[in-house]
Amino acid sequence: MSSAETTALIVEDEPALRDELREMLQTLWPALAIVGVAGDGVDALRQIAQHRPQIVFLDIQIPDPNGLDVARAIRDQCHIVFVTAYDAHAIEAFENGAVDYILKPINPERMALTVKRLRQRINNAPADLSHLIEQLRPQQAKVPFMRWITASVGNSIRLLTIDEVVYFQSDQKYTRVVLADSEVLIKKTLKELMTELDPEQFWQTHRSTVVNALEIASIEPNMGGQLIVKLKNRREQLPVAESFVRRFRQM
């Protein structure tokens, strides 16, 4: 890496979105050096300290510490571009914060504008994000939990209550919504769903799976000692990844 290169770190825990962001940047800004990718706040802070990137593309909804906490920790060390699923209600806060943002799903034209702005700002001091972070925190807390799901089934639209769901599971760019006696696909990633689901009711068993706690019959170790979730209304069992074990041991 030459001293003249501009460096960037991507912080996004959804692999498909992370890859999409990297590909867009490689197309729009071939000279930009992506020095690393991180999937959670701890790894993000570690890599920022290690690589000292000039730019960080930072998803707000990453596992703790979340993106706002990471932004507060690094303060004015680098230029930050927030990657977010927030809607128009948060746009004013981003604009007033003199910092760029990308709304999901990512729009190539909007991404091109972000790259243009970054090239113009890269030699200036990074913006002070303190006020912006404080503005965004209340909006993050006020997002209502999901109560209904609509899914296309053939030529009709099926309306489901959230309590009908046994578990959600990633399926590439879609998510399987598994019910007691059937399942449907919705065009929303599990990552996006996690920002709308009540964390007291929906628990991750794995990066790709979230179970409705009301549908858990029991939690038991299998022959290899790994915890598995047995369901009330489905025969399959859901293995619990090591990083999510603590929540289930408290039951």
Side-chain angles (χ1 to χ4, degrees):
M1 184 177 70
S2 71
S3 59
E5 281 183 323
T6 302
T7 58
L9 177 74
I10 296 173
V11 183
E12 165 62 65
D13 70 336
E14 190 69 30
L17 291 174
R18 189 164 60 219
D19 292 345
E20 181 182 14
L21 186 54
R22 182 198 284 270
E23 288 172 8
M24 281 191 183
L25 286 170
Q26 289 174 339
T27 299
L28 294 167
W29 197 350
L32 181 68
I34 306 297
V35 294
V37 295
D40 58 61
V42 172
D43 192 27
L45 290 171
R46 181 187 65 79
Q47 292 201 48
I48 289 167
Q50 176 185 353
H51 300 298
R52 299 189 179 280
Q54 293 163 279
I55 302 166
V56 174
F57 292 89
L58 180 61
D59 186 5
I60 291 179
Q61 296 288 350
I62 53 173
D64 290 340
N66 64 34
L68 295 182
D69 291 330
V70 170
R72 173 182 278 124
I74 62 179
R75 301 180 73 83
D76 57 355
Q77 295 178 34
C78 49
H79 294 273
I80 293 178
V81 177
F82 285 109
V83 182
T84 176
Y86 282 147
D87 60 19
H89 297 293
I91 300 303
E92 184 178 354
F94 285 114
E95 296 287 6
N96 291 341
V99 64
D100 217 356
Y101 61 92
I102 303 168
L103 291 177
K104 294 186 283 189
I106 300 172
N107 179 289
E109 291 183 2
R110 182 63 181 77
M111 189 68 192
L113 177 59
T114 293
V115 167
K116 179 180 178 180
R117 288 175 174 175
L118 284 170
R119 284 176 158 167
Q120 293 171 343
R121 298 174 181 171
I122 196 62
N123 293 320
N124 299 328
D128 181 355
L129 302 179
S130 303
H131 183 62
L132 172 65
I133 292 169
E134 293 311 312
Q135 279 188 290
L136 290 175
R137 282 199 180 282
Q139 296 185 44
Q140 185 182 39
K142 290 177 183 177
V143 176
F145 296 132
M146 179 182 287
R147 296 179 59 196
W148 305 89
I149 294 173
T150 56
S152 298
V153 180
N155 295 322
S156 63
I157 300 295
R158 186 172 177 183
L159 183 63
L160 309 168
T161 66
I162 200 68
D163 289 337
E164 292 179 74
V165 178
V166 178
Y167 63 92
F168 295 99
Q169 194 163 65
S170 292
D171 188 346
Q172 297 181 352
K173 293 184 179 180
Y174 295 82
T175 296
R176 292 176 59 215
V177 183
V178 181
L179 313 173
D181 58 356
S182 61
E183 62 179 71
V184 296
L185 284 176
I186 59 174
K187 196 172 183 180
K188 181 176 279 195
T189 67
L190 191 65
K191 170 71 180 305
E192 291 169 325
L193 279 172
M194 288 298 293
T195 67
E196 302 176 46
L197 295 172
D198 183 350
E200 295 300 315
Q201 181 177 353
F202 288 89
W203 303 355
Q204 279 192 270
T205 63
H206 187 273
R207 287 192 65 177
S208 65
T209 308
V210 177
V211 66
N212 183 347
L214 301 177
E215 289 288 332
I216 296 175
S218 64
I219 299 167
E220 304 172 13
N222 62 15
M223 295 294 290
Q226 182 183 25
L227 286 186
I228 57 168
V229 173
K230 292 188 176 181
L231 304 166
K232 294 177 181 177
N233 297 301
R234 300 280 302 192
R235 297 182 64 182
E236 65 266 34
Q237 300 174 357
L238 306 177
V240 181
E242 186 63 32
S243 55
F244 301 108
V245 161
R246 184 176 178 183
R247 180 70 181 266
F248 292 88
R249 290 197 188 283
Q250 295 174 348
M251 286 190 71

